[in-house]
Structure formats: C-alpha cells, structure tokens
Amino acid sequence: MELSAFLTSVGINSAIAVLLFLLYSVLRKQPGNLNVYFGPRLALASERQNYPPSLLRYLPSPSWVVKAWETTEDDILALGGMDALVFVRIIVFSIRIFCIAAVICMFLVLPVNYYGKEMIHHDISSETLEIFTIANVKESSEWLWTHCFALYVITCSACGLLYLEHKSISRTRLAYITGSPPNPSHFTVLVRAVPWSAEQSYSESVKEFFMKYYASSYLSHHMVHRSSRVQRLMNDAEKICRVFKSVSAEQKSKPCLLPCFCGAPNSFEILSNEPDNVRGNIGLDVSNLATEKENAVAFVCFKTRYAAVVAAEILHSENPMLWVTEMAPEPNDVLWSNLSIPYRQLWIRKIAVLVASIAFMFVFLIPVTFVQSLTQLEQLSHAFPFLKGMFKKKFISHVVTGYLPSVILILFLYAAPPTMMVFSTIEGSVSHSGRKKSACIKVLYFTIWNVFFVNVLSGSVIGQLTKLSSVKDVPKHLAEAIPNQVGFFMTYVLTSGWASLSVEIMQPFFLLRNILKKFICRIKNNPPNGTLSFPYQTEVPRLLLFGFLGFICSVMAPLILPFLLIYFVLAYLVYKNQIINVYKKSYENGGQYWPIAHKTIIASLVLTQIIALGIFGIKKSPVASGFTIPLIVGTLLFNEYCRQRFFPSFQKIAAQVLMQMDQQDEQGGRMEEIYQQLKSAYCQFRLISLDLCNIRQADQQRDQDGILDSEAETAEIGTAEQQVDDTGTADCYMDRQGPISK
C-alpha cells in the first residue's frame, strides 16, 4: 500500500471521528437527549426541570473529556463494578506498554528499517509502507541487533507491567469482595442433575439429601420450575409497570402521526406500586405457579459462606453426573431459561457449539478473501475490466485500497458478536455474565483469526489451508507476509478503532429511536425502556485485538504504534464516560476478564517472538536468532508463574477470607437479616416471589407475621439500595444541571 493511500484513510477516519465527537458534545447538552447519554434516574429527574434556552447548549465543549479524565478508579469501581475496573486497567496497561514500545521502536527500529537497504528514496508521499518495515532491511545486516534489543525491552516491560497489574487487581478484587454488602451468591450453591424418584418430588429429594449430609449448615432451598411462558409474562409486566410509573396520573397520551405503530390516543389509569395491587391486576394465580413442573435443579442456601464453598467443591455421588454442585451466580445474574437444560446434554451442546463456531470461521473466509482482493488493484482490474478507468483516478484508487477494505471487513464482523452470543446461550451457561464471558472468548478467537491470520495468509481458500498444513513453516510464512499486510492493519486500527469510538459515544441507534419517539410519535415524556449493560463481549476482544496487532507489528512495522496509542488514549476517555453516564451494572463477573487479557498478551508476546525468530532466520542473523530463543522460554516460564500465583484467586475465594467474613457478620448481628434475604433471593418469579416461596417452603411453617416482616425488610433493603444508587449517580456530576449548563 502506498503511503498516500494510507494518508487518505487517516484523513477520512480523522474527519469522521472529530465530527462525531463535536456533535456529541452538543447533543449531550440538549434536555431531550438526556435519556440517551445519561443514566435513567438522572434523565427522568432532569426532564422535570425547565431549562432556559442558552447559546452555550449549542456550542461544542470539552466538559465530558475533563469529567472522564478526573473520574478515579474508585468511582469506576463504585459505578461499574470490578469488570469495569478491569476493563479500564486493560486500557491503562496498553497505554503504558505501547508508550515504551513507541519510544524504542520509533527512534531506534524505524530508522533502521527505512535506511536498511542502499537505495535512493523518492518523495516520501510516493513511498510504499513496506519501506518502513523490516522487509526493507538487507540480509545479514549488522543492524538487526536493534530489533532483537527492542524485542527484549518490550517483552521485559510487558511482563513487569503484567506482574504489577496482577498484584493490584488481585488486591482490589479482594477488598471489593470483603467490603461489599453480603452477597446471596456466597451462601448459595446451584445443584443440578438431582436424581429422579418415583416416591418423592425433586424438592423433597433435595431437602432430604442436604438435611442428611449438611444438617448443621443447611438453611433452605428453592426449586427451579419449567415456566418459561410465565417468566416472559412477568418480565413484560415489569416493563409495562416501569413505563407507567414514569407517567403522571393526570397526563394523557398525545395524538400520534403513526397510529398503527404508536397506538391510538388513550388515557391511562396509573396503578400503584404496591405488590398486592400489581399481583391483583396481573391476575396470576400463585398456587398454579407453585405446582409448575419442577426441574432437577435447585438453589440450596447455607448458613455460612464456608459451608457453601465446601458443598460446591465436594463430589456428592459415585456417579459424577448426579448431584452436580457449583457456586450460584448472583440473583440478578441467573439465566433462568438455561436452567431447564438437562445436565447430561451440556457436553454434547459444547461439542456442537465448537463445531458450529469452527464452521462459521471457515465460512467467513469468503468475505475476508474478497476484502483482500480490494487491496490488489491489478487483480481487481483484471477481474473487472470496466473499472480500469475509474482506478486511474488517484483519490478513488486510494479510497479503494486504503479505506474501503477495512470498512467492508468491519461490516461483516458485526455479525460475529450476536452469533457468538447465540452459541454461548445454546452452550448452556447458567448466568448472563457467564454467557457474556463465553461470547467474549469466542469473539476474540474469531477476530484474531479473521483479521490477522486469514488476512496475512490471504489468497485462495485451498492456498490458505496448504500454507497452514505445515506447522514448522508457519513462522516463515508469517514473517514474509506480515510486512506486506501492515498497511491493512494500520487502516483497520483507524476504521475499527478511531471511528468506532466516535460511534460508541454517539449511540446512534438510541439517538435515532429517541428522535422518532419525540418528533414522530409525539411522546414528550420518554423514559428509557431499560438500562444498558456494558458490551464486554465486543469491546474486550477489540482492545485485545489491537494489543495483539501492536505487539506483532512493533518490531516489524513500528509505524502502527502512534496510531494505536491515540486509539487507547481516546478509548480511556470514551469508555470511562460511558461507564459513569450510560451503562449500569446489573451483574458482573468479578474481574474474570483479566485472566483472558493476560493469556492474550502472553500469546501475543510468544507469537511475536516466534515470528521474529523466523525473520532473523530469513535475514540470516544467527546471533539475533540465538538470543530470541531464551526470550521465548522466559516468557513461557513467567506465564506459568502467573498461572500458579494469581489465577486461582480469580477462580475462587480463599476459605480464610470467607471464614473471616462469616465471623464479622456473626459478631455484627447481621446473620438473621442475611437469612431473611436468602429466603426470597432466588425465587424464580420476582413480582410474587415471597408468596411463591411461602408455598414451596410451607414445611418451614412461617406464620403470617413472619412473612410480613420479611416483605418489609425486603422493601427497606430495596429502598436503601435505590438511595445508594441515586447518591452514586449524583456524585458523578457537579450538580443536576451539569449536563445542560456546561
């Protein structure tokens, strides 16, 4: 790719990013867009105020940049949870390591690449990008030590920063767990594959089993019912109640320009928020729900955290396929629909999903090969002779080769995350966060395979398979092909990085929906239909992919590093803004994305070293090759140390910590309150959970006063949590008029 074509892509993507950032700084200050760019609670509170027209509302301002920069990690942890903090730490790590790589490679490696051969350099704008890569260094060059030295600096710096991040994140995660309010999931075990008995129900079997083997620590249990239709009705009723609560009692609907879409004008009678009123109007029969067919799945609650962990780790039957236990997810995190999947089907589903994912990756070779054909104008002109005249115009040829391929590939890649989410659902994950994590891993593998390997080994599908058939030749093929594809990688960073950040902060889908509701449907009071959760399954793979490309190209094509640095700095500001304003934490993985990031970084370093070994072999530099081998061994040893030292703390909580937390709760007199919360935490039907739990746990003989006390405590806890949420949201802004007045 010519440098001028690359500069054309830089200009187009920079113009798009700057335009959207400026537009966002104006749109976010309009009162009608508060429910798009700010949290639901702040949007509803601010829409009740009358804001006088001001010229400042229509002028771009950097106030959101300042606010995002000033937001501390404690604020991120309080608002977004541990997953959000880990996400920000991945960005910070990337900024630090690529700052070091940029200094070393831009001032040491890049001049060696540019003057690697004795040749006359023409006008720099007419140069190809390959002139800035290691391919331009002559064989047996005495300057190849600079590449080996840069590789050592980058590897040692990355390992050192990884070690520091591991210590910091592990310490923060432990403090976050111990400092948070009691979590019902720490006391609860998910039991699957309960044996069927003709003499008693699943519920009776569960109670008998745990009363026999855990008599001193067993508290209660909740069965999972096959009632997906009822659950959908409950979710729909909850959404309708949320919309009705935001409308004033005397307000009537406005005339609509699209009656068939928005509904005919009507007056609504707002129902109170009392549980009895809601249950009465919905018309669901609790007794019918209680007799729904039980699944062989139960949530078993214990009196202490330590007892729950012991029960989750022990093999309870001679047949490992029966009485399978694991720690339960958080109540809001449970994916109820997947709990109906028989446990014996899970291994078959995982194999089927693996085969489907591999097939989807190979089907995707077709669009990727087409994208690569756009970078070769000669082949494209030969295939389509009528385009020869168009390609003679420099600007069009630069757009086709420098901008269009990455745009087309990104459009195709938009199909990957939803597909992988479907695969992860079919796989049988029991929690929303687990499904999102599984989809994140699949999307990461998918994007690295298609963006890097398939593009590097581009050509016919048969040719790609032929190249990959000989494993020992892979480093050599990669070393020869990467310098030729560096232009595509750089344009991909611009298009999928810079432009995607501006699209992320603009929220075009929700902005368009908001405009349609307000100006087409004439709905003035437009509360959000729900809260958005952070899309980790798409954004974590994007960050790690760019880090992967940065490590691979740092020594061979260091020109990519400044553009990567700009992306990570913008990502640091944009994603912090989205975490504190747009997305809300409904559930989380407890920082489980950091081990994924660690493994990807180590794999990137090792692959970079292997490719460098192949390059040094091609360039006939035995000294550089000899020094690279110990670097590979050292990186693998460091990875093994981290796996033994840090990874277990991300998978489990130490028994010592759990026992200390139990002792603190007992000394503080909080255990009875926790037990009352556990009685209704994992009831499947949220609006009538207390009544249903009362029916399913009739053997506990709770009187009516105890039930009313439990309902009052639940209401008080919900009110307290809402006040905490409101306070946390308010702390994110200087005042309620901050988004408007700035």
Side-chain angles (χ1 to χ4, degrees), residues 623-643:
V623 176
S625 300
F627 276 99
T628 305
I629 295 176
L631 196 61
I632 299 175
V633 177
T635 305
L636 294 176
L637 290 176
F638 171 77
N639 176 61
E640 183 63 22
Y641 169 77
C642 290
R643 195 177 67 85

Side-chain angles (χ1 to χ4, degrees), residues 129 181 202 220 245 262 274 375 398 432 461 596 605 657-658 715:
L129 290 177
Y202 284 123
S220 62
K245 283 190 298 181
C262 304
E274 296 296 328
T375 61
H398 291 168
H432 294 281
V461 176
I596 299 175
L605 288 173
V657 175
L658 294 176

Side-chain angles (χ1 to χ4, degrees), residues 676-695:
Q676 291 296 328
Q677 185 180 4
L678 287 173
K679 290 178 182 179
S680 60
Y682 286 94
C683 284
Q684 191 170 359
F685 310 103
R686 308 303 294 175
L687 289 178
I688 51 175
S689 58
L690 294 176
D691 291 337
L692 183 59
C693 289
N694 181 34
I695 292 176

Side-chain angles (χ1 to χ4, degrees), residues 135-392:
N136 195 49
V137 180
K138 63 181 180 180
E139 295 182 359
S140 303
S141 174
E142 58 183 8
W143 289 99
L144 284 172
W145 68 266
T146 59
H147 299 78
C148 186
F149 174 75
L151 190 62
Y152 262 86
V153 172
I154 293 172
T155 301
C156 294
S157 300
C159 292
L161 291 174
L162 273 177
Y163 178 78
L164 295 176
E165 290 293 339
H166 265 298
K167 291 186 64 177
S168 176
I169 293 175
S170 299
R171 184 168 55 250
T172 304
R173 182 175 183 271
L174 181 60
Y176 179 72
I177 292 174
T178 56
S180 300
N183 192 335
S185 63
H186 293 167
F187 295 85
T188 309
V189 171
L190 176 63
V191 182
R192 310 186 73 175
V194 178
W196 181 82
S197 174
E199 300 175 356
Q200 56 187 1
S201 65
Y202 284 123
S203 179
E204 294 171 343
S205 298
V206 170
K207 181 180 178 181
E208 179 182 352
F209 181 86
F210 284 95
M211 285 294 292
K212 180 178 180 181
Y213 296 105
Y214 297 92
S216 61
S217 58
Y218 168 76
L219 179 64
S220 62
H221 71 276
H222 307 283
M223 297 304 300
V224 177
H225 302 267
R226 295 184 184 178
S227 52
S228 57
R229 293 182 180 178
V230 176
Q231 187 64 44
R232 285 195 295 268
L233 289 174
M234 303 296 291
N235 294 336
D236 293 341
E238 185 177 359
K239 293 179 181 179
I240 294 173
C241 290
R242 189 190 306 121
V243 174
F244 282 178
K245 283 190 298 181
S246 64
V247 185
S248 60
E250 65 274 3
Q251 182 181 5
K252 296 182 179 181
S253 62
K254 302 294 182 180
C256 178
L257 297 179
L258 298 175
C260 61
F261 179 75
C262 304
N266 288 312
S267 299
F268 295 98
E269 179 182 357
I270 307 304
L271 302 176
S272 67
N273 198 25
E274 296 296 328
D276 295 335
N277 196 358
V278 174
R279 286 194 288 271
N281 284 280
I282 292 176
L284 292 176
D285 190 353
V286 179
S287 59
N288 291 337
L289 291 176
T291 58
E292 285 283 348
K293 187 174 182 181
E294 294 176 340
N295 283 321
V297 183
F299 289 97
V300 180
C301 302
F302 292 84
K303 296 179 180 179
T304 63
R305 299 174 179 86
Y306 179 76
V309 170
V310 171
E313 296 297 329
I314 289 179
L315 187 65
H316 291 89
S317 173
E318 295 180 355
N319 183 359
M321 300 292 286
L322 296 176
W323 295 109
V324 181
T325 57
E326 61 179 292
M327 292 303 296
E330 296 181 3
N332 292 333
D333 193 18
V334 178
L335 189 59
W336 294 100
S337 58
N338 275 6
L339 291 177
S340 301
I341 300 174
Y343 181 79
R344 60 181 178 272
Q345 293 183 7
L346 293 182
W347 68 276
I348 301 177
R349 286 171 172 263
K350 291 180 179 179
I351 294 176
V353 167
L354 177 62
V355 173
S357 301
I358 295 175
F360 183 62
M361 291 172 64
F362 278 98
V363 168
F364 217 81
L365 289 173
I366 299 174
V368 175
T369 304
F370 168 72
V371 166
Q372 276 301 310
S373 67
L374 295 178
T375 61
Q376 307 294 332
L377 283 183
E378 295 181 359
Q379 298 180 4
L380 200 61
S381 300
H382 181 73
F384 303 98
F386 60 91
L387 297 177
K388 290 183 178 180
M390 184 182 300
F391 290 155
K392 291 181 180 180

